[in-house]
Amino acid sequence: MDSPVPDDHSPDPAPFSEAEAQQVRTLWGGLGLPGLIDVHTHFMPRPVMDKVWAYFDSAGPLIGREWPITYRADEDVRVAALQAFGVRAYSSLVYPHKPDMAEWLNGWAADFAAHHPDCLHTATFYPEESATAYVSQSIQRGARVFKCHIQVGAFSPLEPLLDGVWSQIADAQVPVIIHCGSGPAPGKYTGPEPIAALLERFPSLPLIVAHMGMPEYAEFLALAERFENVRLDTTMSFTDFSEDGAPFPARLRPQLAELGRKILFGSDFPNIPYPYTHALDAVARLDLGDDWLRRVLYTNAAELFGVAPSV
């Protein structure tokens, strides 16, 4: 992930249209919602985002397939896109892939949230000696969500250096969006078993399993049934792109419906290989009812993160 972005992939100054924005607003407006809450979006320091985009462009081993970035654009354009879509709250999911990186990312994310009131103050961590201290500092400074990327970070959530991190997060009840499923490509520490073991030790951990735990959907849904503070986000799930390689089993739809209060909408914006409207349509076409859809697109996250109603 250290190669520069190729010259032929410079940011597009206008990656979304008013017509697309209107489509998004029509969907949530038709449900009587005040907007959307997208818990899984990425804003990062520009050098880091460039390297992430370069990795996607190269179809690296954690990707394994062609993956065009639909919303490749400067930061202010991407923020404007979410505002035009009517996204009332979103995250800036930063994540380290090596030591001595997380604390710097946390400083950047705190500053980004301070300048973008709709962004949930995001923080992250990595198994290192300093993790307990900087996670404590992030909590004290008002972090509202953490990002943990087991796949990219290539570390076990059971790493002893994280014991102090998990205990603080459990006490503070700051949700953690955790990429722990084995999609799009398995990692040494991905899968439901390490997370089940982690929850045995810290049963009150407020985890949001990214991508519905793809492709281990059944196992992660079972953990959400078993542990009160385990939720899942819809990020990239149910889309044509993901259904092609890791389809969500039809037999799990009744369970998905029953767990409606624990499912949160996420998109992976801007790093998605299709329009934002498709992420929404993919969730809507599950046909689990308007009440379920309202909870997933807005209400669940509004309650979890204390997003105030529209004035």
Side-chain angles (χ1 to χ4, degrees):
M1 292 180 63
D2 294 325
S3 59
V5 174
D7 291 339
D8 59 345
H9 288 292
S10 57
D12 183 342
F16 74 99
S17 66
E18 176 54 34
E20 180 185 13
Q22 184 58 53
Q23 281 184 285
V24 175
R25 295 195 298 266
T26 296
L27 188 148
W28 56 256
L31 292 167
L33 292 173
L36 300 170
I37 298 178
D38 189 338
V39 303
H40 196 128
T41 62
H42 294 283
F43 288 89
M44 304 175 179
R46 183 56 186 267
V48 177
M49 185 63 90
D50 283 350
K51 290 177 181 178
V52 169
W53 285 343
Y55 191 84
F56 278 96
D57 292 338
S58 70
L62 297 181
I63 305 300
R65 62 191 295 188
E66 188 174 339
W67 194 306
I69 304 296
T70 301
Y71 297 96
R72 189 192 308 267
D74 291 334
E75 183 180 281
D76 57 346
V77 177
R78 285 179 275 128
V79 170
L82 293 180
Q83 291 173 337
F85 294 159
V87 177
R88 296 199 55 231
Y90 58 90
S91 56
S92 60
L93 299 186
V94 291
Y95 51 87
H97 63 279
K98 60 184 179 181
D100 301 319
M101 185 176 180
E103 189 169 8
W104 168 66
L105 288 172
N106 289 347
W108 183 92
D111 184 68
F112 182 84
H115 288 87
H116 299 85
D118 294 338
C119 182
L120 301 169
H121 178 174
T122 307
T124 189
F125 51 86
Y126 189 85
E128 53 193 336
E129 292 289 347
S130 57
T132 299
Y134 65 66
V135 164
S136 175
Q137 184 178 64
S138 290
I139 292 172
Q140 292 172 19
R141 290 181 173 177
R144 298 171 71 186
V145 63
F146 281 91
K147 169 68 172 179
C148 178
H149 208 314
I150 299 299
Q151 183 201 46
V152 169
F155 60 83
S156 170
L158 303 173
E159 164 63 52
L161 287 169
L162 293 177
D163 286 353
V165 168
W166 296 125
S167 62
Q168 288 186 88
I169 288 174
D171 289 344
Q173 286 296 291
V174 179
V176 181
I177 295 176
I178 182 167
H179 187 135
C180 49
S182 298
K188 183 177 180 180
Y189 302 104
T190 59
E193 293 82 5
I195 302 305
L198 177 67
L199 288 163
E200 288 288 347
R201 295 188 58 208
F202 302 97
S204 67
L205 267 179
L207 299 183
I208 301 172
V209 177
H211 308 280
M212 298 292 300
M214 185 189 312
E216 295 105 344
Y217 301 109
E219 294 86 347
F220 283 108
L221 283 169
L223 288 177
E225 286 185 327
R226 182 179 169 194
F227 293 94
E228 179 59 29
N229 289 339
V230 174
R231 298 170 174 84
L232 305 97
D233 77 35
T234 67
T235 306
M236 295 197 70
S237 303
F238 321 119
T239 63
D240 295 347
F241 186 82
S242 294
E243 288 289 291
D244 181 54
F248 185 84
R251 64 182 173 80
L252 296 179
R253 285 199 185 187
Q255 191 177 13
L256 185 63
E258 291 172 9
L259 285 170
R261 68 185 180 88
K262 289 192 161 194
I263 311 299
L264 310 175
F265 174 68
S267 69
D268 231 351
F269 176 93
N271 303 331
I272 47 178
Y274 43 73
Y276 196 86
T277 47
H278 182 58
L280 293 164
D281 290 341
V283 177
R285 73 186 180 188
L286 292 168
D287 199 24
L288 297 178
D290 285 354
D291 288 344
W292 184 90
L293 195 56
R294 277 189 282 266
R295 292 207 66 88
V296 170
L297 296 183
Y298 184 84
T299 309
N300 290 338
E303 292 174 351
L304 180 61
F305 293 107
V307 177
S310 297
V311 178

